[in-house]
Amino acid sequence: MTDGPSFGFDTLQIHAGARPDPATGARQVPIYQTTAYVFRDAEHAAALFNLQEVGYIYSRLTNPTVAALQERVATLEGGAGAVCCSSGHAAQIMALFPIMEPGRNVVVSTRLYGGSITQFSQTIKRFGWSAKFVDFDDMDAVAAAIDEDTRAVFCESIANPGGYITDLDAAAKVADAAGLPLIVDNTSATPYLCRPIEHGATLVVHSMTKYLTGNGTVTGGVVVDSGNFDWSASDKFPSLSAPEPAYHGLKFHETFGPLAFTFHGIAIGLRDLGMTLNPQAAHYTLMGIETLSLRMQRHVENAKRVASWLENHPAVEQVTYAGLASSPYNDRVARICPNGAGGLFTVGLKGGYDACVKFVDSLEIFSHVANLGDTRSLVIHSASTTHRQLTEEQQIAAGAAPNVVRISIGIEDANDLIADLDQALGKASA
Ligand SMILES: *Cc1c(COP(=O)(O)O)cnc(C)c1O
C-alpha cells in the first residue's frame, strides 16, 4: 500500500509503514531479530556508511521492524520522519540532543509528567543544559523567559497528570517569533486525539510505553520531526546547519532537507547515545497502534462518564477532566484535541493525603501502578510516588497536590469502574 495522505486515520494506523515482507510475503511485519545485515559488497558498505545510500548496517542504528514503526508514527503525526528510542525519556534527550549545547536552555511548561520535571530540572544539568519552568497559560511569561541561549520550547499537549490542555497554537506562535522549535510531548493525547504539527509543533515526542502500545507491555519512545523547521535560518543550530564534526563534516540540513533531524537522530543520536528500541518492543507497539483509534474512543467515552460521576460524589473536592463542562479548558479541547480530552485526569479528595492512601488501597479493578494509558484502569497517588521528589510547590504547580489522585481510565465497562470507585470512596471517607 502507498501511504497517501488521502487515507483515513483508521486505515493508516494498520497499514502505514507496513508492506508484505519482500523475502517471504509475510503479511504482518516480521520481528527482524538480528544485530547486523550482510553488505552486498565493499562498495555497498561504504555507500551505507557515507549515508549516500539508505539501508541497514547495525541494529543500534536501524532495523526493519523499528523502521516500520517509525514510518507508522511519523505518518499518523503528519511528520516527515521519526526516530524510535528505548523509552519516552530517551526520546526527550534525543529530541534535545541535536539542538542543545553546554550553556543552552529550554523553556518548559510547569505542567509536565513528574519524571520529565526531574529530568529537566536536575539531570540535564550534567550536560551543561538547563530548563526554565514557566506557566504556559501565561504566554507573555513564556516569551519573556526566552533568552539568547534558549534553543527550544517544550510542553505536553494534554498534560500529565491530566485535565490541562496546552494552547499549542499560542505556544507555537511564541516559539516561532523567537526562531525556535516547539517540542510537544503528545503521550497523553496520541495522534488520534491531537496532532501537534498541525498546531505549529516542530518536533513531537512520545512515550510509546503508554497509549500507543496500549496494554502495559513495552517501554519505548519516539521523536517525530515535522520537517518544517529551517535549521539554517540562524546560527543557533550548528549541529544541523554547519559541518558536523561527529560525522566527518557532513551538513545535515543542506544534505537531507526536511529529513535532517531524523538522519541526525539515527546517524549521531542512536549511534553515539545508543538509546535504541529493540525490534521485539517495536512489534508490540505496531500491534498496539493497529487499534489506537478504537481504544482512544472508549478511553474518552469512559473517562467522561466516570469523571462526571466523580464530580458529583460528596467525598470529592474537584475533578480536573478537560472533557467536563466545568473545565476551564473546554474551548481548547474543541480546538486542540477535537476527538476528546483523553483518558487521564485527577481527582481531589476532601479527606486529604490520608483519604487518598486509603482510597487507592481499597480499589479492586483499578491497579495502583506507576503507569498510564493501559487498557486496564490504573490509579496512582502522585504526591507519594511519581511526584515525590518534588517540593510541595512543584507538586501543586504540576497538578499533583497531596490530596490528588491520578486516574487513567481503561476500556473496561464503565459501570464496573464506577462501582469500584464508589466502594473505595466509601472506605476512604469512613
Ligand atoms: C511516561 C511518560 C514519559 C516518560 O516515558 P517512559 O517511556 O516512561 O520513559 C514522558 N512523558 C509523559 C507524558 C509520560 O506519560
Side-chain angles (χ1 to χ4, degrees):
M1 182 186 129
T2 52
D3 309 324
S6 56
F7 291 113
F9 192 95
D10 292 351
T11 306
L12 293 172
Q13 72 185 358
I14 294 168
H15 292 285
R19 294 155 201 89
D21 181 51
T24 62
R27 187 63 195 87
Q28 195 43 283
V29 178
I31 303 169
Y32 287 91
Q33 197 67 47
T34 183
T35 307
Y37 307 83
V38 178
F39 305 122
R40 287 196 302 271
D41 51 33
E43 201 184 332
H44 176 222
L48 290 174
F49 275 91
N50 275 339
L51 298 180
Q52 286 158 336
E53 193 177 318
V54 178
Y56 299 102
I57 298 174
Y58 186 68
S59 284
R60 172 156 33 82
L61 312 176
T62 47
N63 172 281
T65 314
V66 176
L69 175 58
Q70 285 168 169
E71 191 177 333
R72 184 164 303 172
V73 180
T75 305
L76 295 177
E77 286 286 3
V83 181
C84 285
C85 2
S86 51
S87 70
H89 268 5
Q92 291 172 191
I93 296 298
M94 287 280 291
L96 291 174
F97 178 66
I99 58 188
M100 299 286 276
E101 290 167 300
R104 307 306 185 202
N105 67 71
V106 52
V107 170
V108 307
S109 173
T110 46
R111 295 179 184 85
L112 294 181
Y113 173 71
S116 301
I117 294 176
T118 309
Q119 187 186 50
F120 287 140
S121 63
Q122 305 299 330
T123 303
I124 63 170
K125 286 192 216 158
R126 306 281 189 99
F127 306 143
W129 309 345
S130 62
K132 296 185 181 185
F133 287 84
V134 187
D135 177 357
F136 271 49
D137 271 350
D138 183 353
M139 281 301 157
D140 292 337
V142 176
I146 293 172
D147 63 29
E148 295 251 289
D149 286 318
T150 304
R151 288 297 177 271
V153 175
F154 185 103
C155 62
E156 295 179 7
S157 48
I158 298 178
N160 192 319
Y164 177 81
I165 314 278
T166 307
D167 187 344
L168 297 182
D169 301 289
K173 212 166 134 194
V174 169
D176 203 43
L180 299 174
L182 172 68
I183 307 174
V184 176
D185 182 340
N186 201 30
T187 299
S188 306
T190 80
Y192 180 68
L193 300 181
C194 173
R195 308 219 314 159
I197 291 170
E198 290 172 3
H199 298 279
T202 299
L203 303 171
V204 178
V205 295
H206 277 280
S207 166
M208 300 194 296
T209 314
K210 314 293 171 53
Y211 291 105
L212 289 182
T213 306
N215 32 38
T217 48
V218 155
T219 301
V222 65
V223 186
V224 181
D225 176 24
S226 63
N228 295 334
F229 195 83
D230 184 357
W231 303 108
S232 307
S234 72
D235 57 8
K236 286 184 174 170
F237 308 102
S239 192
L240 291 154
S241 63
E244 169 53 83
Y247 217 96
H248 50 70
L250 185 70
K251 290 182 171 178
F252 278 81
H253 192 212
E254 188 181 291
T255 309
F256 301 112
L259 285 171
F261 197 91
T262 300
F263 270 87
H264 193 287
I266 293 167
I268 299 181
L270 291 182
R271 186 196 66 184
D272 297 346
L273 301 179
M275 304 168 175
T276 307
L277 187 73
N278 69 77
Q280 186 90 31
H283 166 76
Y284 285 124
T285 304
L286 281 165
M287 294 306 96
I289 291 175
E290 291 192 349
T291 57
L292 181 63
S293 65
L294 305 176
R295 287 185 286 108
M296 294 315 292
Q297 284 162 16
R298 179 64 80 86
H299 281 297
V300 168
E301 198 182 299
N302 278 359
K304 269 192 197 160
R305 275 198 58 198
V306 173
S308 316
W309 179 84
L310 278 170
E311 198 177 29
N312 294 311
H313 194 285
V316 169
E317 188 175 274
Q318 105 273 16
V319 179
T320 62
Y321 184 53
L324 287 173
S326 58
S327 165
Y329 298 108
N330 277 184
D331 60 319
R332 291 192 194 166
V333 175
R335 185 159 47 88
I336 308 286
C337 43
N339 284 338
L344 199 63
F345 57 83
T346 63
V347 54
L349 298 190
K350 287 180 185 155
Y353 189 98
D354 295 338
C356 289
V357 170
K358 232 186 254 171
F359 173 62
V360 297
D361 281 346
S362 305
L363 286 162
E364 283 162 16
I365 297 176
F366 287 77
S367 306
H368 186 201
V369 298
N371 193 17
L372 61 95
D374 197 327
T375 50
R376 64 215 88 233
S377 292
L378 311 174
V379 71
I380 195 159
H381 184 218
S382 305
S384 61
T385 55
T386 52
H387 289 61
R388 195 185 180 87
Q389 315 293 331
L390 309 183
T391 63
E392 188 165 331
E393 194 185 16
Q394 282 176 316
Q395 288 175 346
I396 293 167
N403 74 326
V404 165
V405 171
R406 184 187 75 192
I407 297 185
S408 173
I409 294 292
I411 62 175
E412 303 101 328
D413 188 320
N415 294 323
D416 294 338
L417 299 180
I418 288 171
D420 193 26
L421 292 165
D422 198 24
Q423 64 80 20
L425 282 173
K427 285 180 188 153
S429 40

